[in-house]
Each structure stands twice: as structure tokens, then as C-alpha cells.
Amino acid sequence: MICAAGALHAQTQSIDVTYNRTVIYMKDGSKVCYDFDDISKVRHAAVAGADDALNAGIRDRAVTDKSRWTIAYGSLAMPFGPYSAMIDGREDDGGWMGYINDGHDDAPGLGNPFAVIDLGEPTAITAMGITAGVPGSGACWDVMPAKVEFYVTDGDVPALLSDDERAIVQGCDEGDLTRYFPLHARMRQADASVAWKKVGEVHIARPDASHTARYMYVPSDTQLSGEGITSRYVKLEVTPFGTDRAAADRTKIFEFHLRTRAE
């Protein structure tokens, strides 16, 4: 069921997503959503405003076993929103909750939340996405992000955190940022040296219950041609809604999704 299509910049302000298990696919500046979670069923469905089809000619599958996935490093999480809840395979009200966003009271000025996910091995990527809010129920809409950008790299990322430091990043100090600030500076500096390549991004039109959904970015056929996109690491860069639109002072990613080439 197509519930919206067209040029992304022209359509995002009018899309209402209310279907249970709705998946919104974004590709080549277009947006289309379906009330089923199987990209193979829409592989040859033309996207309005685009010249090609979603993932045309490529057999892929959703990654459901995320047991090997870990967080290499990332910005500060809240104790009640650990990174592990973003890669546990469940679309519930759990997820990675970032710290207070810039512009809000008591914000420490950490910049946009980010996370680097280690997939455990080089993986052929055909689509990436996130769950915003709790699809079907409309719950937790107030902490949805405005945008999430996806990056990959051909190389490795630095091993930055000891077990104790990883616990600090996970929010074990509960608001005492004394030990976190030097870690944040070190992570940002090291991350800047990684040769990240942007794959794409997803947008959410506005923070309200009608926009709770799974948002997937499908790379262009050009990106997927030849050897395609293969990486062991994926970086998520999160842009919160501005203080004039945000209903909450933090942002939450409920689940990270990835599709890979079928064997």
C-alpha cells in the first residue's frame, strides 16, 4: 500500500503515517511507504520522481541476528537508554537515548548525538534505517529525531574505550560529566580521522504520533552497482528537532535496521 510518494522536499510536511508496521523507504530524493516489512515485494515498484525502482535486481534480506553487533564508540547515552537497546532486534519502547540536546536547559554542548556500530564483520549493505517512536501505537513520538545520516568506511575504526570508559559513555555517572568530557573530546578527535563515506539519510517531517514508523534509506542503483557498499562499521549521526519544534530535550533511536545481500 503506497501512502505517499513524490519529491521528498515537497512531500514531507503532509505525510501522515498511521499504519501498523509501516516502513517508509527513501531513495533518490523520493519517499514511499508500505504497510508491510518486505522490500522484495516492492523491488520493482516505481518510485514517483525517480527513474529506477527500489533496490532493482538485487536480492537482499533483513538482518535479524544482531548478536555480533556492538557499539565501537559514541556520544553519551542515558542510563535508561543504553546503546544495546538500539541493536536488540525489538521494536518496543526501548532504545538508545542520547543526553540533553544542544539548545535546551542544562545542555553540556556535546553537539549532535552519534554512534559507531561494529557489525562484527564486513557486511554487504543494501539498506539502512531506524525506528522512530513505537510504530502502530504512536508512543514515544516526543523523542524522535529530525534526521539520521548513515556513513560507512572501507577501513577500521580506532579502539577507543576500555570497559570502564564504555560504562561511562553508557551513562553510569548519571549526570556527572566530569569523567565523560575528556572521553568525548578523544572520541570526536579520533572519529574525525576515520575516512567516513556518507551513504544517505532519512528525515522525519515532524515530531508527532502520526509519524512513528520505521524509516529506511535505500542506496541508489549506482551505489549498489559493482562491489556495492561493504563495511564492518556504520556511523549514525543524529540531528534533533530544534528547540522551537522539539517536545523533549533528548533524542532516542529505538532500533537500527540493516539489510544485506541474500546469499
Side-chain angles (χ1 to χ4, degrees), residues 12-13 132 138 140-146 203-212 215 240-248 250:
T12 51
Q13 296 305 314
C140 303
W141 60 266
D142 55 332
V143 290
M144 296 194 301
H203 302 259
I204 297 173
R206 59 180 182 266
D208 63 35
S210 69
H211 284 67
T212 56
Y215 292 79
F241 281 99
T243 54
D244 59 331
R245 301 184 65 195
R250 299 157 215 235

Side-chain angles (χ1 to χ4, degrees), residues 247-262:
D249 63 359
R250 299 157 215 235
T251 304
K252 189 172 185 178
I253 304 298
F254 289 79
E255 188 71 18
F256 170 69
H257 303 281
L258 185 145
R259 298 187 68 88
T260 187
R261 289 177 181 263

